[in-house]
Amino acid sequence: NAGVTQTPKFQVLKTGQSMTLQCAQDMNHEYMSWYRQDPGMGLRLIHYSVGAGITDQGEVPNGYNVSRSTTEDFPLRLLSAAPSQTSVYFCASRPDRGDGYTFGSGTRLTVV
Amino acid sequence: LAKTTQPISMDSYEGQEVNITCSHNNIATNDYITWYQQFPSQGPRFIIQGYKTKVTNEVASLFIPADRKSSTLSLPRVSLSDTAVYYCLVGDENNYQLIWGAGTKLIIKP
């Protein structure tokens, strides 16, 4: 099993550009989520999904969109990048019941 | 949503047992307690989860007193590779908006 795969690992954007961060899991997990982590801080939830076709907002959703057309994929779209979105982004998944989240290795995004 | 309080940092030495305590005074009846480990430039990794009393796996033990208002993660015989940030989270299976604090930065010295 590959677990949770995130691409790209690094990205530099100019202010105003848009892009999509990819996340895929091969564990048939129903729940998937996107977090951002700023230096020295814990993770903050951006958006989450409890199954294909179902998404909801987390703590810091502004400036981000998500969709969940399949169980495996949960892309995060930045609509118009801003320097405040410079952060490390983590995708995570977990089964409907049971143990904790499995995280991807992260995408380090810099907006200049 | 139950919040947690952990020490900001801790130091210990190789071969010692390390105990990290987390306070969660507002824990709800259905809430579980979960601990994660995070190395620099990596995503958090699930360590252990429990509801009450004691849970043990191959890497750690989790002690939860009867009132469940706190919990203690115990790492036996730590090594340098256990240097990481450790997060304590509280929530039930239907709580998808867990609150992540800043965690406890554990530094293991030779």
Side-chain angles (χ1 to χ4, degrees), chain B residues 1-8 19-28 31-35 62-65 67-73 86-91 99 101 103-104:
Chain B
L1 296 176
K3 292 191 176 182
T4 60
T5 303
Q6 305 174 232
I8 294 174
N19 295 313
I20 306 174
T21 297
C22 179
S23 297
H24 27 79
N25 291 321
N26 296 323
I27 190 168
D31 286 346
Y32 286 79
I33 300 154
T34 311
W35 286 80
L62 178 60
F63 298 93
I64 306 167
D67 66 4
R68 302 198 330 120
K69 293 184 183 297
S70 67
S71 60
T72 299
L73 175 72
Y86 292 81
Y87 295 95
C88 164
L89 289 91
V90 169
I99 298 175
T104 298

Side-chain angles (χ1 to χ4, degrees), chain A residues 68-87:
Chain A
R68 184 93 181 270
S69 56
T70 66
T71 299
E72 294 78 19
D73 299 300
F74 190 44
L76 177 72
R77 183 165 179 80
L78 278 70
L79 308 173
S80 176
S84 60
Q85 293 179 304
T86 293
S87 188

Side-chain angles (χ1 to χ4, degrees), chain B:
Chain B
L1 296 176
K3 292 191 176 182
T4 60
T5 303
Q6 305 174 232
I8 294 174
S9 64
M10 294 179 64
D11 292 352
S12 188
Y13 292 91
E14 282 191 294
Q16 299 295 307
E17 178 184 76
V18 171
N19 295 313
I20 306 174
T21 297
C22 179
S23 297
H24 27 79
N25 291 321
N26 296 323
I27 190 168
T29 303
N30 294 332
D31 286 346
Y32 286 79
I33 300 154
T34 311
W35 286 80
Y36 290 84
Q37 175 192 56
Q38 186 179 27
F39 298 114
S41 303
Q42 294 186 25
R45 183 176 72 100
F46 170 83
I47 301 175
I48 197 166
Q49 183 179 74
Y51 183 79
K52 62 180 179 180
T53 61
K54 177 183 175 181
V55 179
T56 298
N57 61 24
E58 62 275 11
V59 297
S61 295
L62 178 60
F63 298 93
I64 306 167
D67 66 4
R68 302 198 330 120
K69 293 184 183 297
S70 67
S71 60
T72 299
L73 175 72
S74 180
L75 303 173
R77 299 179 300 279
V78 294
S79 64
L80 296 176
S81 62
D82 291 314
T83 293
V85 179
Y86 292 81
Y87 295 95
C88 164
L89 289 91
V90 169
D92 65 27
E93 290 178 327
N94 295 318
N95 182 354
Y96 302 111
Q97 302 204 42
L98 298 176
I99 298 175
W100 293 72
T104 298
K105 185 173 185 179
L106 175 64
I107 298 174
I108 305 302
K109 303 175 182 179

